[in-house]
Amino acid sequence: MSLTRWGAALVGCATLLLTACTVVDLDANGKPIIPADPNAKASFDNQTPQQIAQQTWQTRVIDAANKQALDANALSAKMKSSSSTTQSVFVRLTSKIESVDVSNEREHKLVINVNGQPLKVQLGPVINGNAIRDATGFKFEDFTNQVQFAQLSRAYAREAVKHQPNVDPGWAGKTATMTLAVTLNGGKAEDAALLEIKPEAQ
């Protein structure tokens, strides 16, 4: 093959290679920014539980609750149909606040009436149970670092408290709309955690 043909072949190959390449942006350190695969499974391996809670609060908790929250009637039906299983769900209720207890500085709570039954709602700063985490749909196998999954409940609890107004005994007797995460266990609602609350106009 002549030198001219070799040259033409090389130019052709170089052109093919260049047209097959994708231009990738570089970050501040000169490293390529690889776009995230939209089909890839979310990885939280290098994040703290608090970082996971902060980053997913809006999408996995608030947005999900707005779409999936059960009302009082749906909650009652769910409690009857899932009496033998444990399940956490989002709930939105409009109810009169029967009482607010802040006597224990670590565990504030309010009490509302749901279908004739009292329901204690945890306000924090300590919120027990896994209702928020489990209502999001996160599962043990979603995490290769299982410590993160175990600690995510507390991280979500701290995040929930950050977004709450100061609910004090002065709220007793008021009607409010609340978004909660609740664990249904043996036909009973327990470990209810407050996510959002808005007093109704009087």
Side-chain angles (χ1 to χ4, degrees):
M1 184 181 287
S2 69
L3 191 57
T4 304
R5 289 183 178 177
W6 271 111
L10 284 172
V11 170
C13 289
T15 303
L16 283 172
L17 286 170
L18 287 172
T19 55
C21 291
T22 302
V23 177
V24 177
D25 292 330
L26 303 178
D27 64 16
N29 299 317
K31 295 182 179 179
I33 301 172
I34 308 299
D37 179 355
N39 300 315
K41 187 176 179 180
S43 174
F44 304 110
D45 289 353
N46 299 316
Q47 294 180 294
T48 66
Q50 197 61 42
Q51 288 172 328
I52 298 169
Q54 289 171 352
Q55 290 181 18
T56 61
W57 178 258
Q58 186 63 43
T59 55
R60 295 294 294 251
V61 179
I62 300 303
D63 292 348
N66 287 335
K67 293 176 184 175
Q68 305 166 11
L70 306 176
D71 62 16
N73 291 333
L75 175 62
S76 180
K78 192 79 157 175
M79 290 167 64
K80 291 175 183 176
S81 65
S82 60
S83 59
S84 60
T85 59
T86 300
Q87 180 183 10
S88 293
V89 295
F90 293 119
V91 179
R92 182 170 291 109
L93 305 168
T94 298
S95 175
K96 178 182 176 183
I97 299 173
E98 302 291 336
S99 63
V100 178
D101 183 359
V102 295
S103 59
N104 183 333
E105 64 180 25
R106 289 175 54 80
E107 297 182 3
H108 296 178
K109 56 183 174 286
L110 61 81
V111 177
I112 59 175
N113 190 294
V114 182
N115 298 323
Q117 297 295 321
L119 177 64
K120 292 181 181 178
V121 179
Q122 303 176 89
L123 307 176
V126 174
I127 293 177
N128 298 308
N130 303 312
I132 303 176
R133 182 197 68 192
D134 292 350
T136 66
F138 274 130
K139 294 191 170 43
F140 186 75
E141 55 268 23
D142 292 335
F143 297 82
T144 53
N145 179 349
Q146 307 301 350
V147 174
Q148 291 172 316
F149 181 73
Q151 294 179 346
L152 188 56
S153 287
R154 271 185 291 175
Y156 268 138
R158 287 191 290 267
E159 197 65 23
V161 172
K162 279 169 46 179
H163 293 275
Q164 290 176 19
N166 180 30
V167 180
D168 58 34
W171 287 59
K174 294 182 179 179
T175 298
T177 297
M178 288 158 266
T179 304
L180 316 171
V182 180
T183 296
L184 308 180
N185 185 14
K188 296 180 180 179
E190 54 189 35
D191 292 336
L194 182 68
L195 304 177
E196 293 183 321
I197 185 168
K198 182 181 178 183
E200 294 290 296
Q202 299 297 311

